[in-house]
Amino acid sequence: MKKHESIGFVQTAILLFAYLSGSSIIVIPSPVITYASNSAWLSILLSMMFGLVILSVILYLLRLYPDKSFIGICRAVIGRWPTVIVACLMLTMAFHMASGIIIDVVAFMNSMMLPETPGYIFMCLMFIMSALLLRTGIESMARMFTILTIVVFLFWLTVIVLLIPSYQLDFLQPVFPDGMKPTLLGSYLTSGFPYGEIVLFAVILPFTRDIKSKPLKRSLVLVILLNGAMLTVTTLSTIMVLGPIATDKKYSLFVLAQTIEIGDMLERIEAIIGMSMIAGSLMKASITLFAIQTIITELFGLQDHRLLSNPLCLLVQIMSLSMPTTMKAWENLVLVIHPLWVGIAYILPLLLVTIVATFKQPARAAPA
Amino acid sequence: MLEKLTVLTAFYALATATDMRKLKAASRHGKWSYMALLLCSLYFSTDYLLDVQWPDLQWLARHILQHPAQAVIETLRAKHA
C-alpha cells in the first residue's frame, strides 16, 4: 500500500472513538431501552464484547498482511472479482451509513432545536464541512478530531455529573422484567450500530504508522471499552432519571440535559448536547466518507483520492435528501433492518476473508 | 419544485466548480469514476426533484432483508410486549 499519509496510534484510537461514539451516545439509548427495558445497559455490554471480537479479527487480518490496505488484503486473499463483490457489499452499507448520519442530524435539529429551518440547510453545511475535511486528508482530520472529541467528551461528562441529584436508583429494578430475550434483542440492535460498523474502520487502520505495534492494539481495545462505558452510563442515567417514560423520549441525552437545574443559575444547558450531536455526527460522517473514498480509490487504482471528495459528498447529500419517505419508514430501517444489513455487508465478508487468509497463510510464509 | 431545483443547483455548483482544474489533469480512470459518481447523484437528484420514489439502497434492503430481520425481532421480542 502506498502510504502518502499516515497517523500515529493515539490518533487512530481517537478516530475510532469519534467513529464509534459520534452520534451513538445521543441516538442509541432510547431505542435500546425500548427493546431491552431495564436491561438495556447489559445489552450494550454484550454487544461491546462482540465489538471487541470484531476488532481482534480485524487486527489479526492486518497482522497477516501488514503492508497492505484492506482492499489489497482482499485482493491477495480471495482474488480480484470476489474483492469487487466484497467492496460493493461494503459500499452499500457505507453509503447508507453516511446518508443516515445526515438524516439523523436533520431529524434531530428539526425536532429538538430548529423546527422551522429546512433540512437542506443543515445538509448543505454538513456537505461543505465534510468535503473540506476529506480534501485535507486523514492527517488533518485526526488532528482536528482530537480537539472535537475532547470537547464532546467533556460536554457529555458535564451533563452526566450535573444529573447526579436527579438519579433514582429504584427505576433500575426489575432488571429482567420479561426474561433474557429483550436483552438479546437490545444487543442485536447495538451489535449493528455502532459495534458492527467497526469493520469499515479496517479500511482506515492501515494508515496507522506501525500497524503491528502492541500500543495500537491496547489503545483500540481501550477505546471500545471507553465507548461501551459511555453508552452504558448514558443508558443507566436515562433509566434513572426518566424511569418508565424513557422509552417515549428520542434523543434521551438531550432530554436529560433539559432537566438539569442547579439553583437558578445553571439551567437550559441542552444546547451543549446539540453541539455534541452535530460535532459527533460530522466526525462519523467524515470518517465514513473517507473510508468510502479509500475503497473506491483502491478498487479502481486511482492516483489522486482527493478528486472524488466533492462528488462523493454531493452524492451522499442528495441520497439523504431523496431517501426517507417517512420518519417511521426510516426508523424501521435503522431499528429492524440495519443490524442484519451490517451482518451481511460487513461481518460476513470480514469473516470469509479472515478464514481464507488463515488457510492461505502457510503457503504465503513458505517461500520466505 | 423551484426550491428543490435551487437547492440542487447550489449543491452541484459548489461541488463541481472547485474541481474543474483538477478534473482536466486527472487520469482516464479518475475522470470515469468522477462521472460515475455524478451520474449516480443525477439519478437521486431526479428522484428528489420529481418525487418519483425510484428504487434506492433502502428499497433494496427492505425487499431483501425486511422478512428475515423482522423474524429475528419477533423471535427475541418479549411475549406480552
Side-chain angles (χ1 to χ4, degrees):
Chain A
M1 181 190 176
K2 289 175 194 169
K3 280 192 180 174
H4 299 296
E5 292 176 292
S6 62
I7 51 177
F9 74 87
V10 178
Q11 289 177 317
T12 309
I14 287 171
L15 282 181
L16 179 63
F17 184 75
Y19 177 72
L20 282 179
S21 305
S23 51
S24 66
I25 45 167
I26 295 162
V27 174
I28 274 292
S30 175
V32 188
I33 296 170
T34 308
Y35 273 169
S37 183
N38 281 1
S39 62
W41 58 276
L42 245 174
S43 302
I44 291 170
L45 291 179
L46 281 176
S47 52
M48 187 191 73
M49 300 293 176
F50 174 71
L52 285 171
V53 173
I54 296 289
L55 180 71
S56 311
V57 173
I58 293 169
L59 287 174
Y60 168 75
L61 191 64
L62 292 175
R63 222 175 29 242
L64 290 180
Y65 297 86
D67 302 324
K68 286 191 190 301
S69 65
F70 185 71
I71 295 296
I73 294 173
C74 291
R75 232 181 241 138
V77 173
I78 55 175
R80 192 178 167 195
W81 288 108
T83 299
V84 174
I85 296 169
V86 165
C88 287
L89 261 177
M90 286 178 77
L91 283 176
T92 60
M93 188 67 226
F95 271 112
H96 162 68
M97 270 170 66
S99 52
I101 296 162
I102 294 163
I103 290 168
D104 278 342
V105 170
V106 172
F108 170 76
M109 294 303 285
N110 278 160
S111 60
M112 295 293 186
M113 296 185 93
L114 300 165
E116 301 288 322
T117 312
Y120 55 75
I121 299 289
F122 308 117
M123 287 180 182
C124 187
L125 294 173
M126 288 278 282
F127 161 61
I128 294 170
M129 280 306 292
S130 42
L132 286 173
L133 280 165
L134 276 191
R135 276 178 170 244
T136 55
I138 190 82
E139 288 174 359
S140 310
M141 271 165 68
R143 282 197 291 268
M144 185 182 156
F145 290 175
T146 305
I147 302 165
L148 277 181
T149 305
I150 293 169
V151 171
V152 169
F153 181 77
L154 288 178
F155 281 172
W156 171 82
L157 196 65
T158 309
V159 170
I160 295 297
V161 170
L162 289 177
L163 276 169
I164 289 174
S166 314
Y167 293 149
Q168 294 186 51
L169 290 171
D170 299 346
F171 284 144
L172 287 176
Q173 285 180 330
V175 179
F176 301 108
D178 302 306
M180 274 298 285
K181 273 186 174 181
T183 314
L184 296 175
L185 184 59
S187 294
Y188 166 73
L189 174 71
T190 44
S191 297
F193 171 52
Y195 294 110
E197 294 171 356
I198 294 173
V199 177
L200 190 67
F201 201 78
V203 176
I204 291 169
L205 271 178
F207 284 93
T208 314
R209 261 174 230 123
D210 190 4
I211 196 89
K212 278 181 156 178
S213 72
K214 269 196 179 155
L216 172 72
K217 193 180 173 184
R218 234 178 280 145
S219 53
L220 294 180
V221 170
L222 199 70
V223 158
I224 293 186
L225 293 175
L226 184 64
N227 171 267
M230 267 179 89
L231 283 179
T232 308
V233 170
T234 311
T235 307
L236 280 170
S237 304
T238 307
I239 297 170
M240 285 194 290
V241 174
L242 300 176
I245 59 163
T247 50
D248 303 333
K249 303 287 181 188
K250 271 173 92 180
Y251 314 112
S252 58
L253 194 58
F254 186 84
V255 177
L256 293 185
Q258 280 178 324
T259 66
I260 292 173
E261 203 177 324
I262 310 284
D264 285 332
M265 59 169 189
L266 198 61
E267 53 188 46
R268 307 284 305 170
I269 62 162
E270 66 271 18
I272 64 169
I273 295 299
M275 282 187 256
S276 303
M277 170 79 178
I278 297 166
S281 301
L282 176 70
M283 289 191 282
K284 185 165 181 180
S286 304
I287 295 168
T288 307
L289 282 165
F290 186 82
I292 296 175
Q293 184 177 265
T294 309
I295 291 175
I296 297 177
T297 305
E298 285 173 11
L299 207 58
F300 294 103
L302 305 180
Q303 300 294 319
D304 182 12
H305 66 87
R306 286 186 172 96
L307 180 70
L308 300 182
S309 304
N310 280 2
L312 205 57
C313 291
L314 177 74
L315 174 60
V316 168
Q317 300 300 316
I318 295 173
M319 277 171 92
S320 39
L321 271 176
S322 68
M323 263 177 190
T325 44
T326 60
M327 267 332 271
K328 203 177 172 194
W330 176 247
E331 278 169 14
N332 169 64
L333 197 78
V334 174
L335 302 181
V336 178
I337 300 173
H338 184 96
L340 190 63
W341 196 351
V342 166
I344 290 170
Y346 284 166
I347 296 162
L348 269 183
L350 175 75
L351 292 180
L352 177 86
V353 172
T354 310
I355 290 167
V356 179
T358 308
F359 285 111
K360 266 195 166 180
Q361 193 188 354
R364 209 172 58 89
Chain B
M1 180 81 155
L2 187 67
E3 189 186 9
K4 286 181 176 180
L5 200 64
T6 314
V7 169
L8 287 174
T9 313
F11 276 10
Y12 276 94
L14 268 173
T16 51
T18 49
D19 276 346
M20 284 304 166
R21 198 180 296 171
K22 257 189 167 185
L23 200 58
K24 273 182 193 164
S27 64
R28 210 172 58 174
H29 264 88
K31 280 177 188 159
W32 276 111
S33 311
Y34 193 97
M35 290 304 165
L37 287 174
L38 276 191
L39 268 180
C40 291
S41 73
L42 277 175
Y43 173 83
F44 290 110
S45 300
T46 316
D47 184 15
Y48 168 66
L49 198 63
L50 306 175
D51 213 1
V52 280
Q53 307 294 328
W54 281 343
D56 54 23
L57 280 178
Q58 273 78 3
W59 176 88
L60 193 70
R62 246 191 297 273
H63 275 74
I64 300 171
L65 301 175
Q66 177 73 48
H67 289 295
Q70 197 65 48
V72 174
I73 299 280
E74 292 308 322
T75 311
L76 295 176
R77 186 162 277 165
K79 287 240 166 71
H80 74 87

